Amino acid sequence: MLKPTVGPIIGHTTTNHARIFLRGKHNKNTLVFAGVRYRRLGEDHWSKGDFAKLEPERDMCEVFALNNLSADSDYEYQAGWFSPMRPAHTVDTVKELPLQWPRQVYHFRTRSSQASLPRAYIVGSCRYLRMTAGIAWAPQLGDRIFASISRLVEHASPPVSAQVMTGDQIYVDDLNIVAPDRKLKEILQKYRVAFSQVNIARLMSSLPTYMILDDHEIEDNWPANKRKSDDYLYANAIRAYELYQASHSPAHALTNDGLINKRLDKYWYQFTEGDIEWFVTDSRTRRNLSATDRRILDADQEQTLCDWLIHTPARVKFVVTSVMFYPDQKRSDDDAWQAFPEQRLRLLETIRTHRIKNVVFISGDVHGSLTSRLTYSEDPDFEVHTVVSSPLCNSRMLPYATAATFTLDQPLVCTAAGDYRHELTSGVISQDNFSHMVVEARRLQVNFHDREGKLLQSIGIPIR
């Protein structure tokens, strides 16, 4: 067996379940299979192995579902791909072959079933990796921050449960002016290169990673800049996104026999860890830009989000939106939530009127990091926070956000009954960075680190 050409990537992980993504290589006129085997750390015997036939239509990618795992446990696993000598093999018959597994052993840990333990997460977005003719230019610039994240994860207490990447994991449109990528093979190559760099590959092989797309997985400011000819681009970009990002996420349900249901009808999803819940929105592909019913989230997603906020028993509720919920930018911005004020107000009113506590909006996009607190003039009990974490790696062609980028001296929304007012609770970080969030009993600690891992700021947000 050969090492995966991309991956393995640990995706959605629970107390008893984990998903592993990997890619093999197309061999013309030859069947290709991939396999994964695993064991609990300290055990002598490997599992029998799970196998799948790789298909060119899926870019030779597969996601394996490991079920019936033990909670709060360390596992080690091996993964690879191969082409059998005989062309008549099936998934069942290759299980009997005397396979030589790749020597590389990877590790992951299942979640704890204890509800109130401290939990930690890595959050980041906007990882620019310029590609020319399918080759990364200066790839170390776009990969070095993941070495720093790995070092933090190795020594973190409490242990880091997952990495949440909130958008622009690749830039399909990095050379839009000169030579835009529009073909499926070009976009797939970007994913292969971006996810197989040394440091990010090492990190994602052991730390569960959750992803959601933003505009650059398709095109800058999508769909506001959409042209009629962009249907071809969109179809290819979304196909690549589904294969490399959505495939190992909770957006895919499990079948009754414990396999990944490859049918996908939405990109937004939820996941839970103890008394913490995440709602990861798709704030990019379900937009309605009509003047009569402007929406950044479609009606079904908005209703599901509101119902979740009202009824979830979670102590802390993280809502991921790839573009900023607030504060607003000074320049006219038709891309973030400030361009959809009615829907934003409906969410805020839902949180306020139902007296929902400990809601934190998580986003990226603006190439600057910050935390901010939102209050309501006529209700001292209302409080919402936001954590913005961006970028993991900026392009030299794009500016960083600063405090001067945002409108900070006036209310976010003025209503007949009162005003929603916000204030920064951190400085605005204008350099490559990531956030390390620790949920404790009485506070959310947000630590921003630079690309070398140095602590830039640490902010404590009370948990009520």
Side-chain angles (χ1 to χ4, degrees), residues 325-437:
F325 194 69
Y326 77 93
D328 292 344
Q329 297 192 50
K330 288 180 179 177
R331 67 174 176 82
S332 178
D333 183 1
D334 63 355
D335 195 49
W337 279 86
Q338 70 185 85
F340 303 85
E342 294 86 359
Q343 190 171 48
R344 179 169 64 179
L345 181 57
R346 289 197 298 270
L347 286 179
L348 292 176
E349 290 286 274
T350 296
I351 296 168
R352 186 180 66 82
T353 57
H354 288 86
R355 309 189 74 80
I356 302 169
K357 298 184 185 302
N358 303 324
V359 178
V360 182
F361 287 88
I362 308 291
S363 62
D365 182 55
V366 294
H367 294 204
S369 292
L370 58 90
T371 62
S372 181
R373 175 174 176 259
L374 186 68
T375 57
Y376 188 68
S377 62
E378 306 306 311
D379 184 354
D381 198 44
F382 172 85
E383 185 174 281
V384 164
H385 291 265
T386 189
V387 177
V388 181
S389 185
S390 169
L392 292 163
C393 180
N394 202 7
S395 164
R396 295 177 181 177
M397 297 178 288
L398 298 174
Y400 290 99
T402 68
T405 303
F406 306 105
T407 302
L408 303 172
D409 59 352
Q410 60 190 51
L412 182 72
V413 185
C414 296
T415 70
D419 299 340
Y420 286 96
R421 300 168 178 168
H422 58 92
E423 61 179 347
L424 292 181
T425 51
S426 75
V428 177
I429 295 172
S430 305
Q431 63 186 88
D432 293 357
N433 71 97
F434 65 92
S435 66
H436 171 219
M437 303 197 316

Side-chain angles (χ1 to χ4, degrees), residues 251-255 259-264:
H252 283 276
L254 290 178
T255 63
L259 301 176
I260 303 290
N261 184 346
K262 291 186 168 62
R263 182 175 176 271
L264 187 63

Side-chain angles (χ1 to χ4, degrees), residues 253-273:
L254 290 178
T255 63
N256 291 334
D257 52 359
L259 301 176
I260 303 290
N261 184 346
K262 291 186 168 62
R263 182 175 176 271
L264 187 63
D265 56 7
K266 59 182 177 58
Y267 302 137
W268 46 274
Y269 58 85
Q270 298 158 249
F271 67 96
T272 301
E273 185 181 19

Side-chain angles (χ1 to χ4, degrees), residues 1 37 51 82 89 93-101:
M1 296 178 72
R37 67 176 184 176
F51 296 92
F82 61 97
H89 273 296
T93 62
V94 295
K95 295 178 181 179
E96 309 303 322
L97 294 177
L99 297 170
Q100 183 71 39
W101 288 79

Side-chain angles (χ1 to χ4, degrees), residues 10 40 44-45 47 72 76 109 122 143 157 172 176 184 200 205 214 230 323 342 359 388 464:
I10 296 290
R40 199 170 175 177
D44 294 328
H45 301 291
S47 66
D72 202 15
E76 55 186 8
R109 185 173 182 83
I122 299 296
D143 192 45
S157 179
V172 168
N176 254 5
L184 180 60
I200 191 175
S205 70
D214 198 19
D230 282 340
V323 293
E342 294 86 359
V359 178
V388 181
R464 300 179 294 161

Side-chain angles (χ1 to χ4, degrees), residues 31 33 83-89 93 97:
L31 295 177
F33 294 87
S83 292
M85 298 294 292
R86 286 176 31 224
H89 273 296
T93 62
L97 294 177

Side-chain angles (χ1 to χ4, degrees), residues 41 69 73 146 188 235 247 276 303 311 354 399 449:
L41 192 64
L69 304 176
S73 299
F146 296 104
L188 292 172
S247 62
I276 301 164
Q303 186 62 56
H311 298 295
H354 288 86
H449 296 259

